[in-house]
Amino acid sequence: FIDHAAEEKRLLKEIQKLDKDITLLQTKLDNPSYVNNAPPAVVAKDKELLDSRLSTKSMLETTLQKIRR
């Protein structure tokens, strides 16, 4: 048995957290000074992290839509 209300609340909380992470990473990566001065490995890691967060958010949003049906 799944408590849909509790699961929806949990997913929304996780999506909010991901949104904050995504915004922070996008802000860093949109800053030419950061991209040009940070070590390439650090910039690459941030890009991978951003891709990962976006993917996770997408999966959670899909799950949330299924729960709401």
Side-chain angles (χ1 to χ4, degrees), residues 47-69:
K47 287 180 180 179
E48 287 177 21
L49 199 55
L50 177 60
D51 288 343
S52 172
R53 297 292 192 266
L54 289 168
S55 176
T56 301
K57 180 183 174 188
S58 179
M59 288 188 310
L60 291 177
E61 287 174 338
T62 300
T63 302
L64 184 60
Q65 288 175 354
K66 289 178 182 177
I67 289 174
R68 287 180 168 168
R69 288 185 190 160

Side-chain angles (χ1 to χ4, degrees), residues 2-19 56-57 59-68:
I2 296 174
D3 181 347
H4 291 290
E7 184 64 7
E8 182 176 345
K9 185 177 179 180
R10 184 191 71 78
L11 289 170
L12 288 170
K13 185 176 179 180
E14 187 66 24
I15 290 169
Q16 274 187 323
K17 181 179 179 289
L18 287 167
D19 280 337
T56 301
K57 180 183 174 188
M59 288 188 310
L60 291 177
E61 287 174 338
T62 300
T63 302
L64 184 60
Q65 288 175 354
K66 289 178 182 177
I67 289 174
R68 287 180 168 168

Side-chain angles (χ1 to χ4, degrees), residues 24-35:
L24 177 67
L25 289 165
Q26 283 177 330
T27 301
K28 284 172 65 173
L29 293 170
D30 286 344
N31 181 346
S33 179
Y34 171 75
V35 174

